[in-house]
Amino acid sequence: MQNFNYSIPTKVYFGKGQIKKLSKISQFGTKVLMVYGGGSIKGNGIYDKAAAVLRESGVSFFELSGVDPNPRIETVALGAKLCKEKEIDAVLAIGGGSTIDCAKMIAAAAKYDGDPWDLVLDGSKIKDALPIVTILTLAATGSEMDGFAVISDMDKNDKLDTASELIKPAFSILDPKFTYSVSQKQTAAGTADIMSHVFEVYFTREKDAFLQARMCEAVLKTCIKYGPAAMENPEDYDARANLMWASSLAINGLLSYGSDVQWCVHPMEHELSAFYDITHGVGLAILTPVWMEYVLSEATIDKFVEFGINVWGIDAEREPRQIAEESIDRTRAFFAQLGLPRTLADVGIGEENLSKMADKLDGLFTDTYIPLTGNEVLEIYRRAL
Amino acid sequence: MQNFNYSIPTKVYFGKGQIKKLSKISQFGTKVLMVYGGGSIKGNGIYDKAAAVLRESGVSFFELSGVDPNPRIETVALGAKLCKEKEIDAVLAIGGGSTIDCAKMIAAAAKYDGDPWDLVLDGSKIKDALPIVTILTLAATGSEMDGFAVISDMDKNDKLDTASELIKPAFSILDPKFTYSVSQKQTAAGTADIMSHVFEVYFTREKDAFLQARMCEAVLKTCIKYGPAAMENPEDYDARANLMWASSLAINGLLSYGSDVQWCVHPMEHELSAFYDITHGVGLAILTPVWMEYVLSEATIDKFVEFGINVWGIDAEREPRQIAEESIDRTRAFFAQLGLPRTLADVGIGEENLSKMADKLDGLFTDTYIPLTGNEVLEIYRRAL
């Protein structure tokens, strides 16, 4: 097991009716910037509930709405300007990962004098941030409990992730009922996103992070059980609850501490989203099985056998190669069962930009599970066509 | 899944050489009370390393040594008095759960004007505490990352647990090498203690805390793999590392949030230790299989089947009753494999005080996995003879 420094300071108020805990935001001051997306929170009543708790707590709030699914640096800059002008005390995100990521960078940029893009390029430049509070409405990115943010500059086709201890939310409110209105398509994409977060750390060269590997399998099994259940019955509380908690635990560090590995499927997908603005989880579901097939070899077969037996319940008596290949087939079939697209062509992506995307990643994947050159990334993209 | 409020603020510096992070204690001030047990930390060099880091950090320290394995309220009172007299800024525990528990209550009692025993009887009376830092030398109780403390008043044969958010350590240093010198007997008892913490929450009536149940199984499988490995080779780094991290995660809330249940085997064992001063993990290993047999019924068989298949790998095709019974047999056999005593008679306990102990627990176990009257507790004690 590798050394690690564990720090997961975010408090979580989980369950039905926990929105009343939003009153605790008043510990930070009396002026809040509320950040949200397209306005669905007004349709489903979450906005009204949050506004009522804020008012009862003596907290006034300004609003920044219209955060895009792949949040833009322009929105961050706008939010930061608002924070400075209005002397905001805390940033409240209501939404999914995009909204939360945007709110995190607003909170950091509000305490920074230069160009907010600097903080995306280099998280270590974040030296301070306003307190961040989140109300989660989509189980997927885990942004509600981690120190990551992904921000896009569509002018440059750049979608980059940044990280800082200082942008971990102070507290997050996770009410599974708030995800009842998430569409089947988004539920499927969210499930794929959670599973991909686990795959990025489960497939590690560290062989002795046994506890972490078994916890990874716990999260994967949860997604496999409850992803389809939530799609079938969107108001299945326990399905929504298990997926929601899985989303937070998949990426808050719990699974990666002790077995750190550089991610690769996520950055590959970020290129797709930066060029085509597709849903992140959809891109991950397309790339993941192709990446698995690409990295399966004699050197990695044991890990895939472990995956096949422990996660998919494949008979341990079978040949290792068969188990490994079936583990990948089962993964692909599961994403198909969720109704997710299987190829890049299915989402309208052709050969046109693949080289450009692969070039951007060339030289970066030196410490991934299996290191990949730009040419190898291009090959994976092509096999996904 | 039940509602929960998640809060695990303790930072953990895990791995080889992490003792240098002890320098971070200087953020709390310049005067530390160092609390430890029988002096083994002087033999194995941990004391010297800690003292060196403290000195380099400009921190002076006072010492309170000789904390007992079942720490006494008198020691807490003595430590609190020292803190007040010397105007201590933080309490540093170096040791296992007993030392850490004692340090926690010293930190709380240092900020309390009444009798420290008040805080053991009622954790909600803890309104403030000095910052607590721990250096762990024994993987067992999980005290390094939780808000619990168990303190004894041997004059009254009382061994009670108390809890408060305010006694969660600020940070803990977990270097698996610091447990190389733990004896086989203590390694075995520690493993049983970790597993018992998991059993107390794994056996819950909450059927939809699926993710938590799978994570419980992850910790149990870790103990089953690495308990014997650490006994066989005390300097097996990965065995010590996995056990150490398992000890923290078993009881820091991660496994119980969402499926809370009242504990019962631990309180039953506390009575044994209060009357006979036996090692906590030994008492747990004796009582656990007997308790399992007692609560196995048609109402609970599904849980035991899940346990048998997922943890012990018992063939799922067999009859449920067979799987359930074998899961208990395997648990008992595992403790025996660790060399732990199997009966109360093996540790010199007879019928003499059983009624008295059971009486003390009568009426308390109303919300345990299976509620138990005092008479039923007595029956479990008797079957363990």
Side-chain angles (χ1 to χ4, degrees), chain A residues 202-204 207 214 217 295-310 320-321 323-324 327 369:
Chain A
Y202 182 64
F203 288 94
T204 170
K207 294 198 190 308
R214 301 293 83 75
E217 291 160 358
V295 301
L296 173 59
S297 70
E298 281 315 303
T300 62
I301 194 164
D302 288 353
K303 189 74 203 181
F304 281 93
V305 168
E306 189 176 295
F307 173 50
I309 294 169
N310 293 345
R321 187 83 200 180
I323 297 173
S327 76
Y369 178 51

Side-chain angles (χ1 to χ4, degrees), chain B residues 27-238:
Chain B
Q27 71 188 285
F28 306 120
T30 56
K31 283 195 281 188
V32 164
L33 179 68
M34 186 196 284
V35 180
Y36 57 98
S40 64
I41 63 166
K42 291 201 171 164
N44 58 25
I46 299 174
Y47 174 93
D48 287 338
K49 284 179 188 162
V53 178
L54 290 175
R55 281 190 208 100
E56 283 161 24
S57 313
V59 171
S60 62
F61 59 95
F62 301 87
E63 298 185 33
L64 178 68
S65 64
V67 176
D68 300 295
N70 288 311
R72 315 295 162 95
I73 189 64
E74 295 84 353
T75 318
V76 171
L78 186 62
K81 187 162 166 279
L82 257 172
C83 286
K84 289 173 180 173
E85 282 173 10
K86 307 290 185 190
E87 297 180 318
I88 293 292
D89 298 309
V91 181
L92 168 64
I94 308 182
S98 300
T99 299
I100 297 173
D101 284 3
C102 187
K104 284 173 170 176
M105 294 312 291
I106 289 171
K111 294 281 192 177
Y112 183 73
D113 286 333
D115 180 353
W117 190 246
D118 298 346
L119 310 179
V120 179
L121 291 173
D122 180 2
S124 74
K125 288 195 174 157
I126 300 174
K127 303 294 184 196
D128 195 7
L130 291 172
I132 298 150
V133 172
T134 87
I135 298 174
L136 187 65
T137 62
L138 179 70
T141 71
S143 188
E144 63 277 10
M145 211 175 174
D146 72 19
F148 303 108
V150 183
I151 302 294
S152 295
D153 184 336
M154 298 309 276
D155 293 340
K156 303 190 186 103
N157 289 136
D158 271 337
K159 179 174 176 176
L160 299 175
D161 57 323
T162 185
S164 167
E165 275 294 307
L166 295 163
I167 58 172
K168 290 183 174 174
F171 67 88
S172 287
I173 292 167
L174 273 59
D175 183 339
K177 287 187 163 188
F178 289 178
T179 62
Y180 281 180
S181 58
V182 173
S183 70
Q184 283 202 321
K185 195 182 152 191
Q186 286 297 333
T187 300
T191 302
D193 193 18
I194 300 168
M195 292 177 75
S196 179
H197 294 152
V198 181
F199 291 142
E200 298 275 16
V201 298
Y202 182 63
F203 288 94
T204 168
R205 278 167 281 167
E206 171 60 49
K207 294 197 190 308
D208 294 300
F210 181 91
L211 174 54
Q212 290 87 339
R214 301 294 83 75
M215 289 196 295
C216 283
E217 291 160 0
V219 177
L220 290 172
K221 285 189 270 194
T222 301
C223 293
I224 292 165
K225 180 177 169 73
Y226 289 111
M231 288 176 67
E232 194 171 328
N233 177 7
E235 303 202 355
D236 178 336
Y237 183 82
D238 288 303

Side-chain angles (χ1 to χ4, degrees), chain A residues 242-310:
Chain A
N242 275 279
L243 283 178
M244 197 170 217
W245 194 218
S247 86
S248 304
L249 297 188
I251 193 177
N252 70 357
L254 181 70
L255 305 184
S256 60
Y257 286 128
S259 70
D260 268 344
V261 67
Q262 190 191 4
W263 292 23
C264 64
V265 180
H266 265 67
M268 280 193 264
E269 196 295 316
H270 286 172
E271 293 303 321
L272 295 180
S273 289
F275 276 80
Y276 296 95
D277 210 12
I278 65 169
T279 301
H280 179 51
V282 168
L284 292 169
I286 294 168
L287 292 176
T288 295
V290 181
W291 169 81
M292 286 180 170
E293 280 164 348
Y294 191 85
V295 301
L296 173 59
S297 70
E298 281 315 303
T300 62
I301 194 164
D302 288 353
K303 189 74 203 181
F304 281 93
V305 168
E306 189 176 295
F307 173 50
I309 294 169
N310 293 345

Side-chain angles (χ1 to χ4, degrees), chain A residues 1-18 20-21 145 165 206-212 214-215 217-219 221-223 225-226 237-238 241-242 245-247 249 252 254 257 310, chain B residues 1-18 20-21 145 165 206-212 214-215 217-219 221-223 225-226 237-238 241-242 245-246 249 252 254-255 257 310:
Chain A
M1 195 181 294
Q2 294 172 32
N3 279 14
F4 60 86
N5 300 330
Y6 173 105
S7 167
I8 307 182
T10 304
K11 290 188 197 316
V12 174
Y13 301 107
F14 191 101
K16 300 166 192 166
Q18 290 277 38
K20 64 180 186 288
K21 300 278 171 49
M145 212 175 175
E165 275 292 309
E206 172 60 50
K207 294 198 190 308
D208 294 301
F210 181 91
L211 175 53
Q212 290 87 339
R214 301 293 83 75
M215 289 196 296
E217 291 160 358
V219 177
K221 285 189 270 194
T222 301
C223 293
K225 180 176 169 73
Y226 290 111
Y237 183 82
D238 288 305
N242 275 279
W245 194 218
S247 86
L249 297 188
N252 70 357
L254 181 70
Y257 286 128
N310 293 345
Chain B
M1 196 183 291
Q2 295 172 31
N3 280 14
F4 60 86
N5 300 330
Y6 174 106
S7 169
I8 306 182
T10 304
K11 290 188 198 315
V12 174
Y13 301 107
F14 191 101
K16 300 165 191 164
Q18 290 278 37
K20 63 181 185 290
K21 300 279 171 47
M145 211 175 174
E165 275 294 307
E206 171 60 49
K207 294 197 190 308
D208 294 300
F210 181 91
L211 174 54
Q212 290 87 339
R214 301 294 83 75
M215 289 196 295
E217 291 160 0
V219 177
K221 285 189 270 194
T222 301
C223 293
K225 180 177 169 73
Y226 289 111
Y237 183 82
D238 288 303
N242 275 280
W245 194 218
L249 296 188
N252 70 357
L254 181 70
L255 305 184
Y257 286 129
N310 293 345

Side-chain angles (χ1 to χ4, degrees), chain B residues 157 275-276 349-358 378 381:
Chain B
N157 289 136
F275 277 80
Y276 297 95
I349 297 178
E351 177 78 35
E352 58 281 2
N353 289 305
L354 299 187
S355 296
K356 220 182 292 176
M357 295 183 210
L378 181 58
Y381 281 139

